[in-house]
Amino acid sequence: MKKIECVIFDWAGTTVDYGCMAPVAAFVESFDAIGVPVTAADTRRYMGLTKVEEIRALFRIDRVAETFRQKYGRDFNEDDVQARYADFQRILCATLDRYAKPIPGVVETVETLRARGIKIGSTTGYTTAMMDIVQPAAAAQGYKADSCVTSDHLPAGRPAPYMLYQNMINLAIPSVDCVVKVGDTMADIAEGLNSKVWTVGVILGSNELALSEEEVSALPAAELQARMAEVRRRMTEAGAHYVIDRMAELPRVIDGINLRLKQG
């Protein structure tokens, strides 16, 4: 009988870095440096892609492209993309270790899953060099994945399925039916669906909710619930099989999936 054998998590905004703050700040700073501002909301629209692809997407925003044209008298090109990407990496790598704290409930949930014999994989929009900073910093605070795959040496990152499939190879998982993908962005959900695995969106701590832990605590309950409901709607419309408020709900979701698998 098939059952869930592996959960593949995203990193920033899902397991670490509550609110997915590190890349937002680095994108904003790198574009400010050339006098072509992007907003935090701009960056969050494309979060979950590889970072160079997100920079290309940011340059293609009509307002951003026009600002660049007015300032430099020409359209942006790939050299501009690569220059912003280099600056983004410099800024991000200088701060990443500060954003590796596990999101509440993650460490305990992973312990619960491992006790059930479930393997822990991960995919990310970060590069290997970035993850070489994040992984040890997160491990020192209690969270470690059994497999971490970046897109560096694969045909593409999200929303393509290659990183997820490489996790399955690394962890010897025989069927997509036995895999759950958990993430906090639309790109995560697309990755899961394109991989044909069970796909779960998580709201609190997510890029989509776009709030720090302190901001969540300070919001009136009714406003927080309204914002969470809007994220749930977007994730559901994007095709997520399940959407959970917080990571502690994941074992119960897996129980439900296993029951569905048992029933065929």
Side-chain angles (χ1 to χ4, degrees):
M1 184 187 73
K2 288 181 178 178
K3 64 178 182 178
I4 297 304
E5 298 180 28
C6 176
V7 175
I8 297 176
F9 292 102
D10 172 51
W11 283 82
T14 299
T15 52
V16 300
D17 186 7
Y18 197 111
C20 197
M21 298 300 181
V24 170
F27 281 125
V28 170
E29 184 176 339
S30 65
F31 274 80
D32 279 349
I34 59 169
V36 182
V38 298
T39 67
D42 291 333
T43 73
R44 291 186 182 280
R45 285 172 57 190
Y46 305 104
M47 201 65 72
L49 302 177
T50 61
K51 300 315 172 194
V52 69
E53 285 297 335
E54 175 154 359
I55 287 172
R56 290 191 183 102
L58 290 170
F59 266 116
R60 287 194 292 264
I61 295 172
D62 289 344
R63 185 193 76 252
V64 176
E66 181 58 27
T67 301
F68 185 94
R69 190 177 301 115
Q70 290 180 5
K71 187 171 182 65
Y72 294 99
R74 61 176 176 83
D75 291 335
F76 76 89
N77 58 37
E78 185 61 19
D79 288 342
D80 300 307
V81 170
Q82 293 301 325
R84 285 311 87 218
Y85 183 46
D87 201 40
F88 167 83
Q89 291 178 87
R90 176 189 61 79
I91 296 164
L92 185 69
C93 287
T95 60
L96 266 178
D97 60 343
R98 304 176 210 164
Y99 292 93
K101 180 182 177 181
I103 291 172
V106 167
V107 172
E108 298 81 359
T109 297
V110 168
E111 289 175 352
T112 297
L113 299 179
R114 283 201 168 110
R116 298 183 180 186
I118 294 173
K119 297 175 182 178
I120 306 300
S122 63
T123 66
T124 179
Y126 287 162
T127 64
T128 298
M130 295 168 191
M131 291 311 301
D132 285 344
I133 300 170
V134 174
Q135 287 190 91
Q141 298 176 78
Y143 173 65
K144 184 178 180 180
D146 302 319
S147 170
C148 177
V149 177
T150 67
S151 65
D152 299 38
H153 304 295
L154 295 173
R158 299 173 184 143
Y162 308 118
M163 289 192 293
L164 196 146
Y165 290 154
Q166 187 63 57
N167 272 280
M168 292 180 64
I169 293 168
N170 293 351
L171 299 173
I173 305 301
S175 171
V176 292
D177 295 340
C178 303
V179 177
V180 173
K181 170 65 203 291
V182 183
D184 70 300
T185 67
M186 299 301 110
D188 283 299
I189 292 170
E191 178 187 40
L193 297 177
N194 288 337
S195 304
K196 310 301 182 186
V197 303
W198 301 94
T199 301
V200 178
V202 60
I203 298 174
L204 286 171
S206 71
N207 172 76
E208 295 301 314
L209 189 60
L211 296 170
S212 70
E213 195 168 1
E214 293 74 21
E215 288 169 332
V216 166
S217 297
L219 269 186
E223 183 176 349
L224 177 60
Q225 288 303 313
R227 293 195 188 193
M228 290 175 66
E230 173 59 18
V231 174
R232 180 178 296 276
R233 181 192 66 78
R234 294 201 306 269
M235 288 182 167
T236 301
E237 289 184 356
H241 298 109
Y242 298 87
V243 180
I244 56 178
D245 288 346
R246 52 184 56 81
M247 196 62 73
E249 298 170 28
L250 184 60
R252 177 180 54 79
V253 167
I254 291 174
D255 289 340
I257 294 171
N258 283 336
L259 180 60
R260 292 173 69 177
L261 289 170
K262 182 178 181 181
Q263 294 172 341

